[in-house]
Amino acid sequence: MSNQSNNSEQEQQPSQSAPRPFPNSDYIRPGIDDRPDLDEALSAADKAAVARLAVRQKPVTAEPAISHPEVQATALAESSGIPNAAADEPIPDVNSAFFDMRDPMVDSTGYRPTSSQVLNMKIGFSLCAFLISFVMVALTVVLVPMQLDMFANADVKTHTVANGINAGVNMCILMSIGIVVTMLTTALASALSDHTRTILGRRTPWLFAGTVLTGLFAFALPSCSTAVSLTIVWAFMQLGYAIMLMSLSAMIGEMVPDKFRGSIATWRDVMMFAGSLCGVAFATSMASHSRVLAMAVCGILMLAAGVVAVVVPPREHSSEYLHVSTLKTSSVLAAFRPPHGVRNWGWIVVIRLLISATLAVSATYIWFVVFYGIGVGTSFTTSLATLAAMAVVAYVMAAVASVLLDPITAHMSNFTALWLSGLCLLLSAICGMTLHTQIGLLLFAAFGGFALSMLDSLAQSVVVNSIEDLQHTGRVLAVVRSLDNAGRLIGVIAGAIVFSLAGAFTSLFTVAGALSAALMLVIIAGRKHFA
């Protein structure tokens, strides 16, 4: 009996040590604990009915860069030959906070940047614009043309006009290839970046890649010993530059809230002015004795521009959560297709082509015009001083035009303003043709800078006012940018053909005059469309 009692006590001891259950611990929560397993409870027919009636949520897909009006407006401002604040025409974006009840202090993703982040955007994007304009103006206006000129005259003690013509033709080939590469690369990289999904965002990886590519080939420019090698290196540099500029334009358009877009655009335009002037001053002061060092500095500054754009502004939002769609050929070619729903599209095409072609003729071969055409090229020092003075006059007059644009358009119609701007452009060509002196060159730069700044702004206003469906604003501006590149290509080729046949660079003034006269005729013929 004692053994049995001991065994029973041992058996009861564990049960006494176990915790007592909570009151009502066996309560079954309705709809939660008694919920059936639908995979087992529903039949195949029931599952098919549920799938048919279910609401499918649309995945989050970011807006493509080509459809974003602010992205394309920024790209147009950055790619303009003469930067001017007046070209920042207010672009109607139907997704803007000013068109609905959204908060204008947030960016395109709904994020509200702090005051310090907005300040960093102003500093970062403005400083980046300064560095980029500094480098590109220094290279395209002074350093690269002089390098080609030195290649053509390497075997002679004194520079001859015939060798200068050969250098000008090489400049035409170099610039033409660069423009074509820029057009194709921008379209492809823009579509690919729209489909990029990384923790760094959609644009930052492309901006980093474009910066590295541009900087490396900018460093390689001084090592080129022939026009062919310089053209190849320039083409690869333009490939990286197009990627860099595309990414930067998209970042600005997508990251800057509506409220601060105007102020940041103004700061960027001012810094583009300053960068262009400083680039010409730097190149002309360094070109006569150390072009190699000047090009190396340009490479360093281009790398610095990319670093500033990545580090100083706020970090781009991650794009990993975005929906990935299949890349279509139509997305790549959208910038080259004529848009629908734009009034007077034919007139707009002709005007944009003529403006861009005149700008290309006036700016691409300006070194050869100064050194060979007017007779002031007896020494590099005199030619460089004249070129620097022309740049200062042109950019100052462009700034004056940006200030006077609003008062002018407030007191006269678009047609009158366009016609007067075309007349100023024609006067600049006449000054170059009739006054073969430094004064003639300065007047050519003054009238040309003022007129081109006005025309660029007014033409953009005409485009915006002609768009019938604001949903297509971004695509229209993308096509307009392609038109600008096509006009530059036409101007570069036409100028080279004329001075090659004429055997003199002064014939470029005739080309500019012919283009200006054609522009005025188009404006007069389309008077009823621009009233």
Side-chain angles (χ1 to χ4, degrees), residues 81-84 141 273 276-277 280 359 362-363 366 386-402 428 441-454:
I82 297 180
N84 62 94
V141 176
F273 269 114
S276 301
L277 287 174
V280 173
L359 175 60
S362 304
I366 193 64
T386 304
L387 187 59
M390 291 178 64
V392 171
V393 170
Y395 286 118
V396 168
M397 293 304 296
V400 172
S402 67
S428 70
L441 286 175
L442 293 177
L443 290 175
F444 169 77
F447 282 111
F450 183 88
L452 288 171
S453 178
M454 291 286 293

Side-chain angles (χ1 to χ4, degrees), residues 46-321:
D46 294 335
K47 293 179 181 178
V50 170
R52 186 175 64 256
L53 298 176
V55 177
R56 294 175 177 82
Q57 297 293 334
K58 184 178 180 180
V60 178
T61 303
E63 186 178 11
I66 196 170
S67 301
H68 201 309
E70 299 298 343
V71 170
Q72 298 301 331
T74 305
L76 276 172
E78 289 182 339
S79 62
S80 177
I82 297 180
N84 62 94
D88 187 27
E89 173 73 19
I91 304 299
D93 183 0
V94 293
N95 294 322
S96 172
F98 295 111
F99 278 72
D100 53 32
M101 298 299 292
R102 289 190 303 109
D103 187 355
M105 307 290 283
V106 301
D107 60 15
S108 60
T109 64
Y111 174 74
R112 179 194 292 266
T114 63
S115 57
S116 60
Q117 289 177 327
V118 174
L119 179 61
N120 288 342
M121 289 183 191
K122 292 182 180 179
I123 296 174
F125 293 140
S126 300
L127 183 56
C128 184
F130 173 87
L131 295 173
I132 289 177
S133 59
F134 181 103
V135 172
M136 296 309 296
V137 170
L139 289 175
T140 56
V141 176
V142 182
L143 298 177
V144 171
M146 287 189 66
Q147 191 81 342
L148 291 172
D149 196 20
M150 293 300 296
F151 292 157
N153 292 277
D155 298 330
V156 296
K157 295 182 179 180
T158 59
H159 291 68
T160 63
V161 176
N163 290 334
I165 296 295
N166 294 331
V169 172
N170 291 333
M171 184 69 181
C172 170
I173 297 173
L174 180 142
M175 291 298 296
S176 299
I177 293 176
I179 293 171
V180 173
V181 169
T182 299
M183 293 175 63
L184 299 178
T185 303
T186 300
L188 180 60
S190 178
L192 290 175
S193 67
D194 290 335
H195 294 74
T196 300
R197 304 294 178 261
T198 66
I199 193 173
L200 297 177
R202 296 195 293 171
R203 316 300 180 185
T204 302
W206 290 88
L207 177 60
F208 178 78
T211 300
V212 173
L213 193 62
T214 307
L216 290 178
F217 283 99
F219 276 118
L221 288 175
S223 62
C224 298
S225 57
T226 63
V228 174
S229 60
L230 185 65
T231 301
I232 294 174
V233 172
W234 180 262
F236 280 100
M237 178 185 165
Q238 290 300 302
L239 188 148
Y241 176 64
I243 296 174
M244 181 181 179
L245 204 62
M246 176 278 303
S247 307
L248 185 63
S249 302
M251 287 178 64
I252 295 174
E254 295 166 353
M255 293 176 59
V256 178
D258 297 329
K259 182 69 174 180
F260 308 105
R261 197 178 303 280
S263 61
I264 291 179
T266 301
W267 277 102
R268 285 179 53 254
D269 291 329
V270 171
M271 295 302 286
M272 287 175 68
F273 269 114
S276 301
L277 287 174
C278 293
V280 173
F282 168 78
T284 52
S285 62
M286 296 285 292
S288 59
H289 56 277
S290 183
R291 286 190 304 277
V292 174
L293 178 60
M295 289 185 176
V297 171
C298 288
I300 295 174
L301 293 181
M302 188 60 77
L303 289 174
V307 172
V308 167
V310 172
V311 175
V312 178
R315 177 180 166 182
E316 187 183 7
H317 306 299
S318 173
S319 61
E320 290 181 315
Y321 68 93

